Amino acid sequence: MEGEEVRRRISKKHVAGFAIPLVPLILILLGFPTASRAASDYRDALSKSLLYFEAQRSGRLPHDHRVAWRGNSGLTDGLEQGVDLVGGYYDAGDHVKFGLPMAFTITMLSWSMVEYGDGVAAAGELKHALEAIKWGTDYFIKAHTHPNVFWAQVGDGDTDHYCWQRPEDMTTSRQAYKIDAEHPGSEVAGETAAAMAAASMVFQGINPHYSHVLLHHAQELFAFGDEHRGKYDDSIGVAVKSYYPSASGYADELLWAALWLHRATGREEFLDYVIRSADELNGTTWAISEFSWDIKYAGVQILASKLLVEKGKDLQAEHKPVLERYRAKAEHYLCSCLNMNGEDGANVHRTPAGLLFVRHWNNMQYVAGAVFLLTVYSDYLAAANQRLHCPRGSLGSRDLLVFAKSQVDYILGANPAGLSYLVGYGARYPTRVHHRAASSVSYKADKSFLGCAQGYDEWYGRRSENPNMLVGALVGGPDDTDEFNDARGNHMQTEACTYNTAPMVGVFAKLSELEGRSSSSKLHHTNSILS
């Protein structure tokens, strides 16, 4: 049933894919009107993207918190259950702490640092990136109270969505929900294990003790999720109600966690698991054309491909054929994003101006995920001097990066509307983001209590711009015709999520570093001429 559901979901976005040839990619980049082709400042975008995570913090804020309009919130989370669950992140414009998307956010922030930490450091953002990750992993450590117990959610989506309150005023339910051996949730256990394993790599040379603690929790959570298999939807019913049900099931998260544990520890047992479970957990059987908080298969397949690309000669003979099958599915995903899978409809739809389009609700999350995977795979190919082979032709690493950059530039304003979808970046960006705290008077400016209905009456319905800017938030973005309506009630397009921005951190760092090298090269060339 899980496979059928995912295939139904995936098939919807393969209808009527535009046949845009990839070969003249540079022409696509140059095809926008001159006014829309202003050079992007990726370093500025990187700085703003990391600031966004501070706006999404729950708990007691530190003294150096930079988002002046936010205050402490959720200080009694877990109190009724006798556990300290203060901290973590709100996923979007509401105030529920959903464990699955929060963990995916931290995995992607950590992966960004693993691949592009030098670029983040070069941009002067290392401290902020580490803080963004640690704010999540500190919470996961608290939430993992026993080897087979993990507190997977705080708050109730239904009651929360009846209110338009600032987080500092919350009167909605803060009930906490856990998974355990009798009520398993392998998706949440697996994704959190992946997040903590990836984060352990980030902190390995900076804080070895903390890295060790994270790795210990990651291994326990993976063992819990694998030994007590079950869908978290069934154990935490409130998660199913229109918010974060897992259509793909838990198989992808188990493979995802095992690969991150292999990468963090180098231990063969985790790679053996990925090889042994390849068919059973659908890692080598499902060809997927989206990557998201729910469906991790493309990420799994690309991590498996990395092993093959970089360590092919040193791998055990029995591992290579299985990893080749993982790589075939990874290439399907990449080729579908690049419109190179042939005429059978297995390509991702594009808007008239060339933006990847998966579905109407928060499409930018899929664009951000695709851009990240294309970028890292471009690096993997370049390091091994290999090419991507698609049904419609062979592509070099630069082709992947050029296309990824075109998507990033669209996000930052190189689009028909001339609008940046990263809030606070550029001259024009969304100003009515669907976000309770940003759209209401700041608690620090007015500490008088703001009730549920009062928030709707006084702030939600206003047509004016939000009083607080949600800098660095990547909103849902335009529809399949490149149209965007900047209205607070248009949550399909104007709500932002942490897992939208998280993959962009690494991509911005990569492009910022390349931009810096290009500037240095030009300066060196100019100096040579002048001398």
Side-chain angles (χ1 to χ4, degrees), residues 164-211:
W164 197 262
Q165 283 181 298
R166 301 171 300 194
E168 297 85 358
D169 292 326
M170 276 190 292
T171 56
T172 51
S173 170
R174 300 307 290 170
Q175 182 177 344
Y177 301 84
K178 68 179 179 180
I179 55 172
D180 55 29
E182 289 73 40
H183 309 88
S186 298
E187 297 97 336
V188 183
E191 184 59 59
T192 311
M196 297 178 97
S200 76
M201 297 179 66
V202 176
F203 287 99
Q204 191 170 27
I206 300 167
N207 188 339
H209 173 71
Y210 190 66
S211 174

Side-chain angles (χ1 to χ4, degrees), residues 92-353:
D94 52 22
H95 303 136
V96 182
K97 293 192 295 200
F98 292 104
L100 185 57
M102 191 194 308
F104 180 68
T105 294
I106 300 303
T107 305
M108 295 310 297
L109 279 174
S110 298
W111 196 358
S112 291
M113 287 298 293
V114 168
E115 302 287 351
Y116 304 117
D118 289 346
V120 173
E125 293 294 334
L126 179 61
K127 175 179 179 289
H128 297 136
L130 296 177
E131 288 173 346
I133 294 169
K134 195 170 185 291
W135 195 267
T137 52
D138 282 352
Y139 175 76
F140 297 151
I141 290 171
K142 287 182 177 184
H144 187 211
T145 51
H146 300 284
N148 290 347
V149 175
F150 184 76
W151 293 87
Q153 183 169 317
V154 178
D156 173 84
D158 287 343
T159 59
D160 180 272
H161 283 66
Y162 282 125
C163 283
W164 197 262
Q165 283 181 298
R166 301 171 300 194
E168 297 85 358
D169 292 326
M170 276 190 292
T171 56
T172 51
S173 170
R174 300 307 290 170
Q175 182 177 344
Y177 301 84
K178 68 179 179 180
I179 55 172
D180 55 29
E182 289 73 40
H183 309 88
S186 298
E187 297 97 336
V188 183
E191 184 59 59
T192 311
M196 297 178 97
S200 76
M201 297 179 66
V202 176
F203 287 99
Q204 191 170 27
I206 300 167
N207 188 339
H209 173 71
Y210 190 66
S211 174
H212 177 76
V213 169
L214 293 176
L215 204 51
H216 172 74
H217 282 279
Q219 291 175 91
E220 283 195 344
L221 281 165
F222 173 66
F224 167 37
D226 189 42
E227 292 168 12
H228 301 278
R229 294 187 181 185
K231 292 189 66 177
Y232 94 123
D233 299 3
D234 297 331
S235 298
I236 307 175
V238 70
V240 179
K241 298 178 182 178
S242 304
Y243 305 109
Y244 290 101
S246 177
S248 65
Y250 54 74
D252 48 341
E253 279 84 10
L254 292 179
L255 292 170
W256 182 238
L259 278 164
W260 276 112
L261 280 164
H262 173 69
R263 194 169 181 185
T265 66
R267 284 161 48 182
E268 286 296 307
E269 65 188 87
F270 296 115
L271 179 55
D272 290 340
Y273 180 94
V274 172
I275 299 298
R276 185 177 65 252
S277 306
D279 288 344
E280 176 200 355
L281 298 181
N282 303 314
T284 53
T285 59
W286 281 7
I288 302 295
S289 293
E290 74 173 64
F291 176 61
S292 68
W293 62 265
D294 180 13
I295 303 175
K296 320 287 165 50
Y297 281 112
V300 166
Q301 292 153 357
I302 280 175
L303 281 181
S305 301
K306 174 182 168 63
L307 292 171
L308 191 65
V309 169
E310 296 181 351
K311 300 180 180 180
K313 294 183 293 185
D314 301 322
L315 291 168
Q316 296 180 28
E318 61 270 25
H319 287 173
K320 290 183 181 179
V322 180
L323 290 175
E324 287 284 4
R325 289 162 55 209
Y326 273 108
R327 184 177 183 176
K329 295 301 186 289
E331 290 182 340
H332 171 90
Y333 171 81
L334 296 164
C335 295
S336 70
C337 292
L338 294 161
N339 203 53
M340 294 289 285
N341 263 337
E343 304 299 330
D344 60 356
N347 291 308
V348 179
H349 183 82
R350 297 187 190 180
T351 69

